[in-house]
């Protein structure tokens, strides 16, 4: 089974929950990069993925670094605050990255 390499931008309540309770249990999904505005969230998720999957992943505080590393993954999930997710999703799509949002563009 081919794995979809995925980057996640946004590690708040929804982002962390989706990774912990869904994506880390899927055999066909591989989290390879994470991003959040808070270093403790990034560090915690990098450690969690290492603990569960045994792999090292890229972590950053700047979503533009995720965009710059677009060759390392197949898709990105934007799970940020309502104020920023449409802007970030538009930037990732403009960079040619298949992009998913866990909610619609509710704020914009």
């Amino acid at each position: 089974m081919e794995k979809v390499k995925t980057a996640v931008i946004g590690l708040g309540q929804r982002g962390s929950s989706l990774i912990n309770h869904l994506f880390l249990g899927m055999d066909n999904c591989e989290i390879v990069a994470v991003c959040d505005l808070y270093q403790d969230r990034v560090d915690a998720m990098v450690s969690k993925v290492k603990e569960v999957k045994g792999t090292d992943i890229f972590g950053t505080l700047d979503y533009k670094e995720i965009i710059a590393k677009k060759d390392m993954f197949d898709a990105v999930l934007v799970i940020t605050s309502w104020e920023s997710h449409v802007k970030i999703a538009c930037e990732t799509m403009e960079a040619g990255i298949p992009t998913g949002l866990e909610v619609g563009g509710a704020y914009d």
Side-chain angles (χ1 to χ4, degrees):
M1 173 185 317
E2 186 176 332
K3 291 186 180 188
V4 176
K5 294 180 179 178
T6 307
V8 176
I9 300 173
L11 301 173
Q13 182 66 32
R14 292 184 314 264
S16 294
S17 181
L18 282 171
I19 292 172
N20 285 317
H21 301 293
L22 181 64
F23 298 122
L24 289 180
M26 297 173 69
D27 293 332
N28 60 347
C29 179
E30 180 180 357
I31 302 297
V32 298
V34 293
C35 175
D36 196 88
L37 293 175
Y38 300 97
Q39 188 68 53
D40 61 325
R41 293 178 183 175
V42 172
D43 293 344
M45 194 54 65
V46 167
S47 294
K48 181 70 174 189
V49 172
K50 177 73 172 181
E51 174 189 326
V52 173
K53 295 292 189 176
T55 56
D56 292 316
I57 66 170
F58 175 73
T60 182
L61 300 176
D62 184 351
Y63 74 90
K64 292 182 186 248
E65 288 186 27
I66 297 287
I67 294 171
K69 293 187 174 288
K70 68 182 185 178
D71 292 336
M72 76 182 296
F73 53 86
D74 303 310
V76 66
L77 294 171
V78 179
I79 313 174
T80 61
S81 68
W82 287 8
E83 297 87 0
S84 65
H85 69 242
V86 170
K87 175 188 181 303
I88 294 170
C90 287
E91 287 186 47
T92 58
M93 288 185 285
E94 288 168 356
I97 303 167
T99 302
L101 292 134
E102 97 290 1
V103 295
Y107 207 75
D108 287 324

